Every structure is written in structure tokens, then in C-alpha cells.
Amino acid sequence: AQSVTQPDIHITVSEGASLELRCNYSYGATPYLFWYVQSPGQGLQLLLKYFSGDTLVQGIKGFEAEFKRSQSSFNLRKPSVHWSDAAEYFCAVGAGGYNKLIFGAGTRLAVHP
Amino acid sequence: SAVISQKPSRDICQRGTSLTIQCQVDSQVTMMFWYRQQPGQSLTLIATANQGSEATYESGFVIDKFPISRPNLTFSTLTVSNMSPEDSSIYLCSVVVGDDGYTFGSGTRLTVV
């Protein structure tokens, strides 16, 4: 069965520092992988997605993620965090096509000025 | 990407009553997905709604509690029936359009008192 693990429930970084949010998945075939961001009181916004091809994926707001099949990971990175990046981040895995998404528990990011 | 209009954005309801949530998409889609996000939690899929057929419910969710309608390719409703305080959550609809991945509505924040 598909599953997603986000080991870090809460992360705090200083503004301008680099960021890496971890995501590990369990899936028998090549997964479709996603990162979403949810600001307080807001819906989900897609940051980036991986379907196939280049394993380093560029997204919006300066985020990128790298798919590593050998480690079953899809970690999200940003070289310099802004205060507006404070939000909840969800990693999700899908089987492709029109199948459901399985979400991780989320990582809440706090940014210190 | 698709644009989803979800109504109402929030509501406060008395226990024992029902609330119907509407999801309108600006393009025709094969499947629509309904998710629940309990306070401080991740997203859990309630059901998948296909046009012209019965919705498919995930384990732990039943049609009597969460009836779904899908009258056409751009619209769906989710009803939360006989509500209790445990139903207080954010409910989100989601669609897949082409290669854009999964788009989410802004959510309905439900409080049951």
C-alpha cells in the first residue's frame, strides 16, 4: 500500500537560511510525487510535482525537490527562506492517472526574523 | 490549471443537522475527489466521485454519513449528515486536469456545535 512519511512535524529556521523538508514514500512502482503548501486558513497550493524525467524538479516560489529512487525520498529544498514561507507543507504520492493522493502528516514551518 | 469554486467557505452548524458542500469546476473532469482535514491533521480521502456512477468510498467512510452527488462533469456535492462535533473539519474537493496534477478547492471550514 502507498504511504508517505514526513519525519519532521515542526521545523523552525531563520529568515535567509536554507531549508530542507524530508519526505519518504512507499510505493511499488514509479510514483507521482507532489509537494503542497497550506497557509493558515487557506487551501492547498501546488509547489511542484514529479512524474518522470529529470529527478531535480523546480517549482514555484524558489522551491525545488529531488527524487531519489534508491532512498524512496522526495525532499523539498529552498536556498533562502523568506518570512512568507511560514506555512504547513504536505508531501503526497499518487499512482498516476486519476487515482487518489496519499498525504503525509505535514511539516509546519516557522520562520524567525 | 483548473479553477475550483467551493461553497460555503465556512459554516457553524448545530449537531444533528446536515450540511451540503458544493464544488464547481471550470472545466469538465472525469473524477472529483473529496477530502477531510481534521484540526491539526493531514488530508484523508473520503470518496472519489465519478459522473454517472456511485461514488467510491474509502475505508471508514460510508454513504449514509457522506452522500455524494455528481450530476455532471463540472459539479459535485458532499453532504455531511447528522453532524456531531467530531465532524468539525475542513472539507476539500479536488480534481485532476491533464498534466497539471491535482488542484484543490479553497475548502469548507465546518464547525459543529
Side-chain angles (χ1 to χ4, degrees):
Chain A
Q2 301 169 53
S3 66
V4 179
T5 301
Q6 293 181 246
D8 305 305
I9 297 174
H10 193 186
I11 285 182
T12 300
V13 300
S14 299
E15 190 168 19
S18 63
L19 173 69
E20 182 169 31
L21 302 182
R22 296 183 289 166
C23 173
N24 293 96
Y25 68 89
S26 173
Y27 184 63
T30 300
Y32 285 24
L33 295 162
F34 306 83
W35 275 100
Y36 286 88
V37 61
Q38 186 179 38
S39 298
Q42 303 295 312
L44 288 171
Q45 182 180 24
L46 178 67
L47 285 175
L48 46 78
K49 61 184 183 287
Y50 173 78
F51 289 169
S52 64
D54 192 345
T55 57
L56 184 62
V57 180
Q58 301 297 321
I60 62 171
K61 301 184 178 185
F63 286 93
E64 68 177 25
E66 186 171 13
F67 171 58
K68 293 185 177 180
R69 183 187 302 276
S70 61
Q71 299 177 19
S72 298
S73 69
F74 189 57
N75 295 347
L76 182 71
R77 301 193 294 251
K78 186 170 185 177
S80 179
V81 171
H82 188 262
W83 64 266
S84 61
D85 293 324
E88 185 96 23
Y89 291 80
F90 293 97
C91 181
V93 62
Y98 298 105
N99 292 293
K100 63 184 180 184
L101 284 182
I102 304 297
F103 282 84
T107 298
R108 181 169 297 276
L109 174 66
V111 180
H112 279 329
Chain B
S1 62
V3 176
I4 300 176
S5 173
Q6 189 173 336
K7 297 178 180 178
S9 59
R10 61 178 61 230
D11 208 342
I12 300 173
C13 300
Q14 297 291 322
R15 67 179 66 198
T17 63
S18 298
L19 176 71
T20 296
I21 301 167
Q22 299 179 3
C23 185
Q24 178 77 51
V25 188
D26 68 345
S27 56
Q28 294 184 339
V29 294
T30 303
M31 292 187 183
M32 297 179 76
F33 304 90
W34 287 98
Y35 287 84
R36 181 177 72 181
Q37 186 178 22
Q38 294 178 297
Q41 303 294 315
S42 185
L43 283 79
T44 301
L45 183 67
I46 297 171
T48 303
N50 298 326
Q51 193 271 330
S53 64
E54 292 284 334
T56 302
Y57 288 82
E58 298 296 305
S59 176
F61 297 96
V62 296
I63 188 171
D64 290 346
K65 176 67 176 178
F66 298 101
I68 288 172
S69 78
R70 184 79 201 275
N72 57 53
L73 290 173
T74 64
F75 186 79
S76 177
T77 66
L78 169 76
T79 298
V80 186
S81 303
N82 188 25
M83 288 183 286
S84 67
E86 292 71 34
D87 295 319
S88 297
S89 297
I90 299 173
Y91 294 85
L92 301 102
C93 66
S94 175
V95 300
V96 180
V97 177
D99 292 334
D100 290 339
Y102 298 75
T103 301
F104 286 82
S106 55
T108 296
R109 185 178 295 271
L110 171 62
T111 302
V112 183
V113 297

